[in-house]
Amino acid sequence: MSATEATDRVPVDVAVGVLFDAQGRFLLCSRPEGKVYAGHWEFPGGKLEAGETVEQALRRELIEEIGITIGPAQPWRVHVMDYPHARVRLHFCKVRAWTGGFEMREGQQMAWSRLPVEVAPVLPGTLPVLDWLAEEAAGD
């Protein structure tokens, strides 16, 4: 596929939650079996449905996928990733509060992480976030 073909694809909007616990760790989840990149680690979230805002989609997806109801979602960064199967526009939001217990409803795994992450492989769309977190940590 040429670079022109890749950029001609309309991106799919995806809401992504970067959840932080009280110890400053962030949550990564493995992609479930049957999905593209199954077993790769990523931040939780999913596609926006028609008429949804990023925060509405994130709230819905996290209830569906991991069983929690998030508090405020702070919009953080937007990043476009070109995967062989799709072009995605990732809307990353920081989340520091939620209710409910974690329930991996799609058979995925979860891990609270710090930098450098100890889980692998990491989804390519997750790598820029790890770089941004490292930049923020260096600026503290």
Side-chain angles (χ1 to χ4, degrees):
M1 172 187 317
S2 72
T4 305
E5 288 174 288
T7 56
D8 285 348
R9 296 190 295 169
V10 176
V12 174
D13 286 296
V14 176
V16 184
V18 183
L19 279 68
F20 294 95
D21 69 5
Q23 291 78 47
R25 300 175 302 174
F26 50 87
L27 181 70
L28 291 173
C29 296
S30 63
R31 290 185 58 82
E33 289 304 316
K35 287 198 175 182
V36 177
Y37 289 99
H40 283 68
W41 291 84
E42 66 178 351
F43 293 95
K47 296 176 193 166
L48 274 67
E49 291 182 355
E52 277 186 322
T53 65
V54 169
E55 186 168 347
Q56 288 168 335
L58 185 60
R59 190 169 303 283
R60 176 185 50 75
E61 285 285 345
L62 295 188
I63 289 168
E64 290 174 4
E65 290 182 8
I66 61 177
I68 61 166
T69 300
I70 62 169
Q74 174 193 353
W76 183 35
R77 306 247 182 142
V78 177
H79 184 75
V80 176
M81 276 299 296
D82 279 308
Y83 289 103
H85 70 286
R87 184 167 204 224
V88 292
R89 183 182 300 117
L90 302 163
H91 299 263
F92 294 99
C93 298
K94 290 183 177 180
V95 177
R96 298 182 189 280
W98 56 87
T99 57
F102 288 92
E103 226 180 279
M104 299 295 107
R105 296 180 170 174
E106 296 181 339
Q108 71 274 49
Q109 296 178 302
M110 65 177 274
W112 287 105
S113 301
R114 295 185 187 280
L115 295 174
V117 297
E118 296 180 1
V119 294
V122 174
L123 191 69
T126 297
L127 296 174
V129 182
L130 301 178
D131 291 341
W132 301 333
L133 292 172
E135 287 169 13
E136 285 188 358
D140 287 347

